[in-house]
Amino acid sequence: MELDEFTKFKKMDFPRSVMLGHDAILHTVDLCRSLHFGKTGIIITGKSTYCAAGKDVEDLVSEKYDVTVVNTGNATIDNVNSVCSAIKEQKAKFILAVGGGSKIDIAKLAAKNANVPYVSIPTSVAHDGIASDRASLKSDKGAVSMSAVSPTGLIADTKIINEAPYRYLASGCADVISNLTALMDWELARSQRNEEFSSSAYFLARYAADNLIDNSKQIKDGGEERVWRVMRPVIASGISMCAAGSSRPTSGSEHMFSHVLDMNHLGTGLHGEQCGVGSIMMMYLHGGDWRRIQEALWNIGAPITASDIGLTDDEVIEALMESHSIRPDRYTILGEGGLSKKTATSVAKKTGVIGTHKPPKAHGQRGKSKIDSED
């Protein structure tokens, strides 16, 4: 009896070296040396992030390396191309990305296009992308998720991140907590569409979300230690995408809701904030413990209502009805036909996202097991 030839193959790239903690930035040269970088590099940063940490990185690294500072703006294709031109002109052998999500996203794509390694040095953590191989580019039509490369190294200085506005850290927590509905969507797609599934990616993303929820009461008023508590789950969440080879373990129906808001330029919420609010409603649709998510976000100080992120009731309802169409290739609890206005209104009201706002009660209440039959 002949056995079928086994041909399955998968490539996974992870950060090789991670430095986390107080004054971690002081070890930047040590990390560059350990990664055997060439002598010439560029530092991608912005005006405010250069003051927050970019200047310190430049001073530290300039003692051993020939580096050029490139100040850039939002994560757009034009700015990525501009950085690639700078890499070519300076003959840079590595990138140090110092800043928030936009600077790191630019570095991810520039590193991929120019085939050079990069180090992620976040000055704030508003989402879970600091360690992932996915990049989000902005355009007139909203944000577009793209395959990029993971950082070769990561330096997360808890002192620097703690000095950023707390709203960013709370948003990063909300983004990671929203993994819970992304994972339920992934499980649904696995059972209904036989979609490829990674248990290792699943458990990394699940650990990250559960860890933040379990520690949610210790985050808001925790000082620099709160950053230490948050960073490990945030990094694990990003690595889960590297393990999966896609954003599946961290992006589902709740991210579709957020993308609609971005595309239509609605509200004032950060990405993670929008995903957190969306996750409350999507968990209700899944029939899961949506109050657990709501309570954790409340404890952290992240938004839990439409008004918290500058949305009207009608904007939430319309966004819910439109969310299923954002990524037709990604099957979620929203199904192929999406939600009716009646169902969208009911979900938003019953979870307290719209209507009269009340502080969350102890979690444990569950929503419906499936979308209404009319949908």
Side-chain angles (χ1 to χ4, degrees), residues 44-46 49 72-75 97-108:
I44 299 176
T45 189
T49 52
T72 186
N74 290 328
V98 185
S102 62
K103 307 305 178 287
I104 293 172
D105 281 338
I106 290 172
K108 291 178 186 181

Side-chain angles (χ1 to χ4, degrees), residues 286-349:
H286 274 289
D289 191 351
W290 58 273
R291 285 192 180 276
R292 181 172 182 247
I293 295 175
Q294 183 192 58
E295 183 181 5
L297 296 177
W298 173 272
N299 290 338
I300 291 167
I304 60 173
T305 70
S307 61
D308 288 342
I309 52 176
L311 296 172
T312 67
D313 292 359
D314 288 341
E315 286 172 339
V316 170
I317 294 167
E318 291 297 323
L320 283 173
M321 293 170 61
E322 190 178 345
S323 295
H324 72 285
S325 63
I326 293 299
R327 289 200 61 173
D329 62 316
R330 180 156 290 185
Y331 189 75
T332 71
I333 192 64
L334 297 172
E336 296 177 350
L339 305 181
S340 67
K341 185 172 184 178
K342 178 181 177 181
T343 300
T345 303
S346 177
V347 170
K349 283 185 176 179

Side-chain angles (χ1 to χ4, degrees), residues 190-205:
R190 180 191 190 187
S191 64
Q192 298 295 318
R193 296 291 188 272
N194 197 30
E195 185 171 314
E196 185 176 353
F197 189 83
S198 168
S199 295
S200 56
Y202 177 95
F203 286 113
L204 278 169

Side-chain angles (χ1 to χ4, degrees), residues 180-235:
L180 293 182
T181 44
L183 292 170
M184 293 186 79
D185 284 329
W186 198 10
E187 288 183 298
L188 184 66
R190 180 191 190 187
S191 64
Q192 298 295 318
R193 296 291 188 272
N194 197 30
E195 185 171 314
E196 185 176 353
F197 189 83
S198 168
S199 295
S200 56
Y202 177 95
F203 286 113
L204 278 169
R206 180 72 195 231
Y207 149 77
D210 284 340
N211 181 280
L212 287 179
I213 291 176
D214 292 343
N215 290 285
S216 61
K217 292 182 179 179
Q218 285 75 48
I219 293 173
K220 188 175 182 181
D221 300 316
E224 187 178 337
E225 186 178 356
R226 68 190 176 194
V227 181
W228 176 267
R229 291 181 182 274
V230 169
M231 288 309 303
R232 287 173 293 175
V234 167
I235 292 170

